[in-house]
Amino acid sequence: MNMMRLALTTCLVLLAATLHVAAQATDKADADKLVFQELSAQHEVENWHPELIVRAERLEETAEQGVYVLRGDSFQVSSLRSDVYLRQADREWTPIFDGRYPVESLVNLLMNRVADNRHLLTLHHHQYGGAVPTIIMPMQTLFDVLGRTTDSYCSVNAVTRDEMRAVLVFHQRRLNYIHMLELRVAMNQLTRPDGMLTADLYTNIPQNGVLNVFTERKK
């Protein structure tokens, strides 16, 4: 039985490696279309969320009274992080989602920490060859499809009275590819139960694509 499992695991690893090499060489168009199909076909929201593990050494106070940041990791640039914003009630730590804290709430939404996420997402998917199909989908579908096997990082890059802009990256560590979104949300949509966000999605991109986006924003 162990030999069978080992053989099956070896076959799966070889298959994954073969698919990864093919996607790098010639099949980005097919890989992009596959992501779009998976997002489009996900009619039922699975409501998957990563486990929240709160370690005291990772908690830091913020300038907002009663608001703490649970420090995560950074990815390529210092501002692209996996932090989560929390507050404590009855000895329980809970992610913040409150209109009084728009930046912290957006970060928690993008890090898939909002348990009752009923937001909708207008998604413009930039595919190989210049195609940009658009779908309107439950935002939670994004995490159900792309978040389970990746590490997530986000950065809120611009805040005005009316709108916030952010970047969200899904990094597949083992196969080393990236999906990246540039998101926009109106302030009056953020904490509405059925609020709408808009995003441009770039899939199967090289890692330096993240740095290029941040470099362009600084010019």
Side-chain angles (χ1 to χ4, degrees):
M1 182 64 69
N2 289 336
M3 290 298 295
M4 291 179 63
R5 289 178 179 174
L6 178 61
L8 178 59
T9 301
T10 302
C11 288
L12 291 174
V13 170
L14 290 174
L15 176 60
T18 301
L19 290 174
H20 179 52
V21 171
Q24 284 185 317
T26 60
D27 290 343
K28 186 178 185 306
D30 291 337
D32 286 350
K33 289 177 181 176
L34 179 59
V35 170
F36 187 78
Q37 290 171 2
E38 290 178 346
L39 292 173
S40 301
Q42 191 80 0
H43 299 299
E44 294 184 8
V45 175
E46 297 177 25
N47 207 29
W48 173 83
H49 300 275
E51 182 183 3
L52 180 63
I53 301 175
V54 180
R55 295 189 175 94
E57 65 272 16
R58 289 270 187 166
L59 279 173
E60 296 179 11
E61 293 186 51
T62 70
E64 300 286 351
Q65 185 175 4
V67 176
Y68 292 77
V69 57
L70 179 64
R71 286 296 181 192
D73 299 313
S74 63
F75 181 69
Q76 295 201 4
V77 291
S78 59
S79 60
L80 193 59
R81 303 190 55 83
S82 59
D83 298 343
V84 180
Y85 289 92
L86 307 172
R87 58 186 164 196
Q88 192 177 37
D90 299 327
R91 297 185 180 182
E92 292 288 333
W93 290 101
T94 57
I96 289 172
F97 195 66
D98 186 323
R100 295 174 296 174
Y101 309 103
V103 173
E104 293 86 347
S105 295
L106 179 58
V107 168
N108 286 348
L109 184 65
L110 298 183
M111 293 306 298
N112 193 20
R113 297 297 182 175
V114 178
D116 187 23
N117 180 6
R118 289 176 284 162
H119 286 68
L120 295 175
L121 186 64
T122 299
L123 191 69
H124 308 292
H125 185 196
H126 296 255
Q127 299 180 5
Y128 182 85
V132 190
T134 298
I135 54 174
I136 298 177
M137 51 183 264
M139 187 177 183
Q140 186 59 42
T141 294
L142 190 72
F143 305 112
D144 293 345
V145 173
L146 301 181
R148 289 179 178 274
T149 59
T150 61
D151 298 321
S152 299
Y153 307 88
C154 75
S155 173
V156 178
N157 301 325
V159 180
T160 68
R161 183 179 65 180
D162 300 319
E163 182 184 69
M164 288 188 291
R165 293 174 177 258
V167 168
L168 172 63
V169 166
F170 296 100
H171 177 218
Q172 220 299 337
R173 186 186 304 176
R174 186 170 64 87
L175 298 179
N176 203 25
Y177 63 82
I178 292 167
H179 306 310
M180 182 169 65
L181 294 94
E182 295 182 274
L183 298 108
R184 301 171 297 284
V185 57
M187 287 292 190
N188 62 6
Q189 294 289 312
L190 177 61
T191 55
R192 285 183 54 177
D194 57 348
M196 175 71 77
L197 284 77
T198 302
D200 291 283
L201 171 64
Y202 304 87
T203 49
N204 306 297
I205 62 175
Q207 287 199 39
N208 61 8
V210 175
L211 293 176
N212 289 342
V213 167
F214 280 82
T215 301
E216 288 297 321
R217 295 296 177 273
K218 293 179 180 179
K219 290 182 178 179

